[in-house]
Amino acid sequence: MVRNKKKTDDLIARLRQREETGMEEFLLKYSPLLRYIIGPILSDPREQEECVSDVAMRVWDKIHQFDETKGSFTTWLTVLTRNMALNRARDGRKSVTESENLEHVMSGKNEPEKMILHQERMEQLKSVLS
């Protein structure tokens, strides 16, 4: 147990010093945990992988905010990962709704101008045929 704590402390120190080998070790050690947390929240495998990458970048950028007196690194990482996955899922639902609305508008349904043009063309066609 003490050995694992020492290895984790060493990893955190290397991340804080911006050592790329620290990030490589982080990804090797913690990617399974990240995927385990993200999996039930995001169903699309591409979204899951993007979220893992986003979490890794967030850890790289925010490692200085980790405070070992407030909790373990694993707890901090778990909360960070869960929140990022939930935010991505929420944003994904918004973008689906927005894209559905955009498709509806772009399809021309319920656009008064197009409806009037269609009616005029139908009337012209009827008059030519008769």
Side-chain angles (χ1 to χ4, degrees):
M1 184 82 163
V2 172
R3 185 173 179 216
N4 285 339
K5 171 88 168 106
K6 172 87 171 103
K7 288 179 89 173
T8 301
D9 289 345
D10 180 54
L11 174 63
I12 293 167
R14 291 189 306 153
L15 288 170
R16 285 182 172 152
Q17 293 168 2
R18 313 298 263 176
E19 292 182 19
E20 290 181 24
T21 58
M23 180 51 71
E24 291 170 8
E25 183 182 332
F26 168 80
L27 288 171
L28 283 173
K29 183 174 182 179
Y30 289 101
S31 285
L33 174 65
L34 302 181
R35 286 184 178 87
Y36 177 78
I37 296 165
I38 293 167
I41 300 170
L42 300 171
S43 58
D44 181 15
R46 284 183 290 168
E47 285 286 315
Q48 292 174 1
E49 285 305 310
E50 287 179 19
C51 191
V52 168
S53 295
D54 290 347
V55 169
M57 290 305 299
R58 180 68 56 94
V59 167
W60 183 257
D61 291 337
K62 304 291 183 180
I63 190 66
H64 63 279
Q65 293 179 354
F66 169 65
D67 183 357
E68 21 320 281
T69 63
K70 293 182 180 178
S72 72
F73 180 69
T74 304
T75 302
W76 180 76
L77 183 60
T78 300
V79 171
L80 178 79
T81 304
R82 184 199 67 212
N83 290 343
M84 289 194 72
L86 290 171
N87 288 342
R88 184 176 275 274
R90 184 177 50 244
D91 291 346
R93 283 194 297 272
K94 282 183 188 175
S95 69
V96 167
T97 304
E98 289 169 0
S99 66
E100 287 172 354
N101 290 337
L102 182 61
E103 285 177 20
H104 182 71
V105 168
M106 296 302 288
S107 71
K109 295 177 182 171
N110 298 329
E111 282 191 48
E113 298 88 13
K114 287 193 176 191
M115 290 173 56
I116 291 171
L117 285 173
H118 179 71
Q119 286 176 343
E120 288 176 354
R121 286 184 188 138
M122 290 303 292
E123 289 173 13
Q124 287 175 350
L125 182 63
K126 285 179 186 177
S127 67
V128 168
L129 289 174
S130 54

